[in-house]
Amino acid sequence: QVQLVESGGGLVQAGGSLRLSCAASGRPVSRYAMGWFRQAPGQEREFVAVIGSGGVNTWYGNSVKGRFTISRDSAKNTVYLQMNSLKPEDTAVYYCAAGPVTTMDASGYGSWGQGTQVTVSS
């Protein structure tokens, strides 16, 4: 099974940028669809983005489309989430996940990281 560790979260002002990283070990990320999800306090886990196992096809949640970009570096076995034009409503714990198929449904992912906190101040 693949192990995932997120990093790159922090505090940023509205309009700023952050890049999250998801370092994988144990299995190559190219075997999986790799997704990013987020969860704010008191809210359900929300789909953010996914990149297919081929590393080409990507999908985004409506709330981040045009602002966030998911990418993959197979040589580093790492997936990234570039977040631009951040808004206070982007504040959440961000999770990386690996699954066998490309889906926006969190239940389709079997491996999860521990999460990294992103806080956007107004």
Side-chain angles (χ1 to χ4, degrees), residues 1 17 31 41-42 46 52 73 75 85 88 92 102 110 115:
Q1 195 167 1
S17 299
R31 285 193 177 190
E46 177 190 7
D73 186 334
S85 302
T102 304

Side-chain angles (χ1 to χ4, degrees), residues 65-113:
K65 203 171 294 183
R67 300 188 297 123
F68 290 11
T69 302
I70 188 170
S71 62
R72 186 182 83 186
D73 186 334
S74 295
K76 295 183 178 180
N77 216 29
T78 299
V79 176
Y80 302 98
L81 184 68
Q82 178 67 43
M83 306 186 296
N84 298 329
S85 302
L86 283 161
K87 306 174 182 179
E89 50 264 44
D90 294 318
T91 295
V93 177
Y94 283 71
Y95 297 91
C96 175
V101 295
T102 304
T103 178
M104 296 183 287
D105 186 347
S107 66
Y109 294 84
S111 298
W112 292 82

Side-chain angles (χ1 to χ4, degrees), residues 38-46 91-93 95 117:
R38 66 187 183 186
Q39 189 166 19
Q43 298 188 20
E44 293 186 354
R45 193 163 292 192
E46 177 190 7
T91 295
V93 177
Y95 297 91
Q117 176 71 47

